[in-house]
Amino acid sequence: MSKLLSFYFLLLSVSLFGQTDTTGIPFKLNQCFTALTDLKNFNGNVIVSKNGKVILNNTYVIKGQTDSLTVTKASRFIIASVSKVFIKYSILKLVESNTITLNDKVDKFIPGFPEGNKITVEYLMHHQSGLPRELANYESYDSLSLAKIVELAKAEKLQFEPGTKTLYSNVGYFLLHYIIDKASPKGYIEFIQKNIFDKMRLKHTSEFNATQTVIDFAYGFNNEEGKIVPSSKKSVNRFETGNYLSTIGDLYSFSNQFMSGNYLKKSLAIKMFNQDSTLVQAGGRPGYRSYLYKNLKTGVTFIFTANYTDIPIMELTGDIISIVAGKPYTVPHKINRKEIPVPAETLLKYTGKFALEADYTQTFSITLEKNKRLAITDKYGEVTEIAPDSETTFFFDPASKDGYLFTLNAQTRTYDLTIISTGLVLKAKRIE
């Protein structure tokens, strides 16, 4: 699979209520995850609750593969960007203590930061800073100090005027990490340990250290052309905005406690959420996927931790929300896409160079090979051939819904590209 498509995260084991009723919500939730697991599309732990009542809390393990995939409720997973919820909370704790304000500008903490007088702490929190998704050439670094990350961030150009748009930015959260480190008396790690993990008794959540043995550590796996293989040690030990380990129980506990009013004023805790009253944070890297969804209006909380990459996150989330709301959904099932012939003159219309709107550094070229098939070459030089199952839709794996969609732009009279990856819909802009 192309690297482009892979980039883009306690209680009772299962509530028995409703399990014998095939029309009940717990049964349908369990049916959904069981089907995904049978399709080799999920391996990990899940909790779903509504209005504080747990309706599913279960572990799912892909059978017939390596025993190392096996996880339990006690398993500790690398949660990648789900750790951003700890950063958001920490910023709000600093606001509560009048140490910082949400209106503070970046240049207050990082003097000389380009356009730092326009970027507020709140813009950083809600991905409205204008900073890009990733640091340029971030893949070339095995590890980076926080100071070096800030230095590299200074070289990045804004994608838009701060506060005018929303664009997911890991760079912005690196800066929030730095602000917490500078604004708290004993630094970032000590602040999060004391104000979150210790106070909320999250005993199984900590920063990951590859040099130490981790009890109940869930090692990550990828699906590569149908074969389940372990992730590289390099991908496990990547630098992050806090490279955290956690359990499903600790994450669920945090999701309940931060809004309780016992640790942070509710008037501030509400700022963890988007304008639509949802807190949505996905985390992912090779070998790991994690997800935290909380909706204040519906009362639904959905969290999963997985030591496996090949999970259709957005599609799965939509199904879970539909099931809990009593709306129609489709049980995951085997996909078998069939290639059809498409004339070479049609395929030529789709060739060109593109860049993702969500991350302009992710560029790739589409070419026609031997007048038969389109091939995508990503920025790393990896080539993936794609086959058509209609005149405008293409796939690289016949057993997956992931793929490519070409649509005619009425203004430019050229074809735009949409990439579907693990349920995510990613728009790409033609640049050549």
Side-chain angles (χ1 to χ4, degrees):
M1 180 190 298
S2 168
K3 291 181 183 177
L4 174 65
L5 292 180
S6 67
F7 85 95
Y8 320 73
F9 47 149
L10 170 73
L11 300 162
L12 298 173
S13 62
V14 182
S15 172
L16 298 179
F17 174 74
Q19 286 294 309
T20 58
D21 177 9
T22 58
T23 64
I25 290 174
F27 177 89
K28 292 178 180 178
L29 290 170
N30 184 59
Q31 180 188 46
C32 179
F33 281 100
T34 299
L36 274 175
T37 305
D38 289 343
L39 292 168
K40 299 181 182 179
N41 282 148
F42 190 82
N43 196 93
N45 292 323
V46 185
I47 286 181
V48 182
S49 71
K50 184 168 184 180
N51 297 326
K53 182 177 181 179
V54 174
I55 49 182
L56 181 76
N57 182 10
N58 207 0
T59 298
Y60 299 88
V61 176
I62 297 171
K63 304 299 182 185
Q65 304 294 320
T66 171
D67 290 341
S68 298
L69 269 173
T70 302
V71 294
T72 69
K73 291 290 194 319
S75 294
R76 301 175 71 193
F77 299 78
I78 290 176
I79 61 173
S81 283
V82 167
S83 64
K84 286 183 172 67
V85 298
F86 300 145
I87 290 179
K88 269 188 175 182
Y89 180 89
S90 297
I91 286 290
L92 294 171
K93 282 296 293 182
L94 289 170
V95 171
E96 185 179 51
S97 65
N98 296 316
T99 304
I100 67 172
T101 74
L102 291 176
N103 291 322
D104 282 343
K105 306 295 195 302
V106 166
D107 60 1
K108 175 180 177 179
F109 308 97
I110 311 173
F113 193 92
E115 309 283 4
N117 61 331
K118 297 180 180 180
I119 304 171
T120 67
V121 169
E122 189 161 20
Y123 288 162
L124 292 173
M125 277 182 59
H126 294 291
H127 301 285
Q128 296 174 332
S129 66
L131 289 164
R133 181 185 179 93
E134 305 289 356
L135 294 168
N137 301 316
Y138 73 98
E139 308 95 336
S140 62
Y141 298 97
D142 289 337
S143 62
L144 285 171
S145 68
L146 195 52
K148 181 63 176 179
I149 289 172
V150 170
E151 180 184 330
L152 292 172
K154 287 181 177 181
E156 298 293 342
K157 293 183 180 179
L158 295 185
Q159 307 284 286
F160 53 83
E161 189 70 15
T164 62
K165 296 181 183 179
T166 300
L167 178 69
Y168 190 90
S169 175
N170 284 321
V171 178
Y173 268 74
F174 282 133
L175 297 190
L176 288 175
H177 183 160
Y178 183 84
I179 290 169
I180 296 167
D181 194 59
K182 292 302 177 184
S184 49
K186 296 184 178 180
Y188 170 86
I189 293 176
E190 177 78 12
F191 187 86
I192 286 189
Q193 182 69 45
K194 177 183 177 181
N195 288 279
I196 302 178
F197 305 155
D198 290 347
K199 283 192 175 180
M200 296 187 186
R201 297 181 177 85
L202 307 184
K203 296 181 180 179
H204 308 291
T205 305
S206 62
E207 191 166 49
F208 175 63
N209 186 334
T211 65
Q212 297 177 354
T213 300
V214 178
I215 297 174
D216 295 318
F217 179 60
Y219 199 89
F221 289 80
N222 300 313
N223 187 333
E224 295 183 2
E225 299 181 354
K227 184 178 181 180
I228 296 177
V229 298
S231 296
S232 69
K233 291 183 178 180
K234 179 180 178 180
S235 67
V236 170
N237 194 33
R238 278 176 47 182
F239 63 92
E240 296 283 340
T241 50
N243 190 12
Y244 286 109
L245 289 165
S246 193
T247 61
I248 190 74
D250 272 11
L251 289 178
Y252 183 65
S253 179
F254 174 77
S255 75
N256 288 327
Q257 292 190 75
F258 81 80
M259 276 298 294
S260 67
N262 296 328
Y263 305 100
L264 178 68
K265 292 178 182 176
K266 287 187 176 181
S267 59
L268 284 172
I270 201 76
K271 293 184 180 296
M272 293 275 288
F273 295 81
N274 299 322
Q275 291 184 349
D276 63 356
S277 299
T278 63
L279 171 60
V280 182
Q281 184 61 61
R285 70 166 69 168
Y288 294 95
R289 292 288 185 265
S290 53
Y291 198 80
L292 190 154
Y293 170 93
K294 192 175 183 69
N295 190 317
L296 292 177
K297 290 182 179 179
T298 64
V300 174
T301 297
F302 165 44
I303 301 171
F304 75 72
T305 52
N307 61 328
Y308 187 61
T309 302
D310 199 21
I311 300 172
I313 292 180
M314 298 310 295
E315 184 179 349
L316 171 59
T317 303
D319 286 341
I320 299 309
I321 292 170
S322 294
I323 290 171
V324 177
K327 295 180 179 179
Y329 73 103
T330 301
V331 177
H333 57 281
K334 187 175 182 179
I335 305 296
N336 187 17
R337 300 170 73 169
K338 301 291 187 181
E339 182 175 2
I340 66 166
V342 173
E345 55 267 29
T346 299
L347 297 177
L348 277 170
K349 297 176 183 178
Y350 307 146
T351 60
K353 189 172 183 180
F354 298 81
L356 288 184
E357 291 183 355
D359 181 4
Y360 74 95
T361 67
Q362 295 291 339
T363 60
F364 51 96
S365 298
I366 299 180
T367 55
L368 180 59
E369 300 298 312
K370 299 180 182 178
N371 285 329
K372 291 183 178 180
R373 267 193 175 185
L374 293 179
I376 296 182
T377 304
D378 64 22
K379 61 183 285 188
Y380 311 97
E382 184 175 342
V383 180
T384 303
E385 282 197 356
I386 58 175
D389 57 354
S390 79
E391 194 166 278
T392 57
T393 57
F394 294 74
F395 63 90
F396 58 90
D397 179 358
S400 173
K401 291 182 180 179
D402 288 352
Y404 303 83
L405 169 65
F406 293 93
T407 53
L408 183 63
N409 187 310
Q411 293 181 330
T412 65
R413 305 305 300 173
T414 59
Y415 281 86
D416 293 331
L417 176 62
T418 300
I419 300 171
I420 297 93
S421 176
T422 62
L424 286 169
V425 177
L426 306 168
K427 299 288 186 181
K429 180 180 180 181
R430 183 183 289 273
I431 56 177
E432 287 183 14

